[in-house]
Amino acid sequence: AASMSAPSVSAPSVSAPTVSAPLWTPREDLQMLALDPLDVRMVKVHFSPVMKKKDFPQLGARYIYTYRDPRDVAASLIRKGRYQPDHEKRGVKGVTAMIRRELRGDAFWRTRETLWIGRYEELAQDVPALVRSLAEFLSVSVDEDTVRRISDFVSVDRQRKRVADVRDFGVDPSLRITSNHITDGQEGAWRATLTSDEVAAIEVLAADWMRAH
């Protein structure tokens, strides 16, 4: 994920109805939908400064939040946007704005009560463990064969193929795979993307956060 703030919200249900993943769910409807036991949906959200905590329900929702090294966050966003060094979103000012927003998003999602948090660098190294952890959080029973099949389904190689498959039309609506979904995916790829000034600016701004995480 390019963003440190990309949680999914779902309303758990004892009867386990089919999970939906509509392309768009109005933010003002989330509170109502979370209280409906028959409406179980995944909502993918990237943090925006205009978002309000009151719009995201505590009751009836489970949040899945992933974060990563802020230097890799900035590098990924730069690669996605294909921003050249002279672009307005580059340089100290550009990356500072990016990471300031991401830090606000991190604080925002950590206020959710029913919250699963995963560090990208760790979960990417052990997808089967990730599947088991998420299944436990979502109260879904999985056997080892299911864990293996899911892990194979979301492997980086298969994800890269899906990215290639949607190059001409932008997004796979069923899987939310976009044409720029994966730009590198490697830990530490920021070294080949960011300038030394950009790295220094991020490390100063996010120093306390990076020490804590």
Side-chain angles (χ1 to χ4, degrees):
S3 175
M4 291 157 60
S5 47
S8 300
V9 187
S10 63
S13 171
V14 174
S15 58
T18 301
V19 177
S20 66
L23 280 177
W24 174 253
T25 298
R27 197 176 300 159
E28 58 269 22
D29 291 349
L30 291 177
Q31 294 281 358
M32 174 189 67
L33 292 169
L35 297 176
D36 182 353
L38 298 180
D39 189 290
V40 180
R41 66 178 61 205
M42 182 182 75
V43 180
K44 182 177 180 180
V45 184
H46 286 279
F47 175 76
S48 168
V50 302
M51 286 166 32
K52 296 179 174 58
K53 293 177 184 176
K54 68 179 180 62
D55 292 331
F56 293 85
Q58 297 282 21
L59 184 62
R62 303 185 191 189
Y63 292 82
I64 296 171
Y65 170 57
T66 63
Y67 68 92
R68 68 187 301 192
D69 185 323
R71 294 166 297 189
D72 275 326
V73 172
S76 180
L77 290 170
I78 286 170
R79 291 192 298 270
K80 279 179 178 287
R82 299 181 180 178
Y83 304 139
Q84 297 303 310
D86 59 347
H87 193 279
E88 62 180 4
K89 292 190 177 182
R90 293 296 305 269
V92 170
K93 184 177 180 180
V95 298
T96 295
M98 286 181 189
I99 300 309
R100 184 172 287 122
R101 182 190 64 224
E102 299 301 332
L103 293 175
R104 286 181 62 185
D106 182 80
F108 182 96
W109 296 120
R110 290 175 187 272
T111 64
R112 301 302 87 191
E113 294 174 0
T114 308
L115 175 67
W116 181 96
I117 302 177
R119 185 172 184 267
Y120 174 83
E121 291 83 356
E122 295 174 358
L123 61 88
Q125 296 300 316
D126 192 346
V127 177
L130 167 65
V131 173
R132 296 186 197 99
S133 179
L134 286 174
E136 180 180 4
F137 174 71
L138 296 171
S139 302
V140 176
S141 178
V142 292
D143 56 25
E144 284 306 301
D145 182 61
T146 301
V147 170
R148 179 189 58 77
R149 287 189 290 107
I150 294 174
S151 299
D152 289 344
F153 185 79
V154 299
S155 70
V156 171
D157 288 342
R158 294 185 70 174
Q159 293 290 73
R160 288 188 190 280
K161 183 180 185 305
R162 293 182 184 108
V163 168
D165 289 343
V166 299
R167 292 254 186 245
D168 293 336
F169 47 94
V171 61
D172 179 330
S174 63
L175 297 175
R176 306 299 176 79
I177 297 293
T178 61
S179 59
N180 62 356
H181 196 82
I182 299 175
T183 62
D184 184 284
Q186 300 300 311
E187 180 179 357
W190 55 267
R191 293 182 177 87
T193 302
L194 303 178
T195 67
S196 58
D197 285 346
E198 290 169 336
V199 172
I202 293 170
E203 291 177 345
V204 169
L205 177 62
D208 290 343
W209 187 94
M210 292 174 72
R211 281 192 289 268
H213 300 89

